[in-house]
Amino acid sequence: MSSTPSIFTKIVAREVPATIVAEDDRVIAFEDIAPQAPVHVLVVPKTEAYATVTELAAGDPDLLAHLVATAQRIADERAGGQYRLVFNTGERAGQTVFHVHAHVLAGDLQEGTLAS
């Protein structure tokens, strides 16, 4: 893990602004700044201990379950419960921020990749 805080850690610390849609003591969810669907929300654990979903699943499966439950609540509120949940794992798969996060996508998806 890099010694430089990720952009998501800076959002958690309120050092970088974001449109926050949900938050509790374990996760934060905010609108993507480059949405690829009518609903595009990122759900991010407040810890940066895990770079990928695989690391999170192995290290804290309860936190992963909480993240997924948060994604479901957001989809229920914003998209009638119909959504895609995407985790990019690795640079060649489109991951650009190595602080695990899920993309909640709903509605008509735009062409292109899901990077971050």
Side-chain angles (χ1 to χ4, degrees):
M1 180 171 56
S2 171
S3 62
T4 304
S6 74
I7 186 71
F8 298 155
T9 298
K10 292 178 180 181
I11 289 170
V12 169
R14 304 303 198 267
E15 295 171 7
V16 172
T19 303
I20 298 168
V21 300
E23 182 175 18
D24 60 29
D25 61 329
R26 302 178 77 195
V27 298
I28 189 168
F30 49 89
E31 293 180 359
D32 193 290
I33 61 169
Q36 296 188 24
V39 174
H40 190 167
V41 174
L42 302 179
V43 184
V44 181
K46 288 188 172 180
T47 177
E48 63 181 343
Y50 308 102
T52 68
V53 67
T54 305
E55 290 177 10
L56 178 58
D60 193 343
D62 289 338
L63 180 55
L64 176 56
H66 182 73
L67 184 151
V68 171
T70 301
Q72 179 68 60
R73 280 193 306 279
I74 291 165
D76 288 345
E77 294 168 3
R78 294 179 166 228
Q82 297 187 40
Y83 66 106
R84 289 176 52 199
L85 188 61
V86 176
F87 291 90
N88 295 325
T89 301
E91 187 175 344
R92 291 186 304 186
Q95 186 176 11
T96 59
V97 179
F98 292 87
H99 178 148
V100 65
H101 57 285
H103 296 258
V104 178
L105 298 141
D108 293 332
L109 302 180
Q110 296 177 4
E111 296 290 326
T113 61
L114 298 174
S116 79

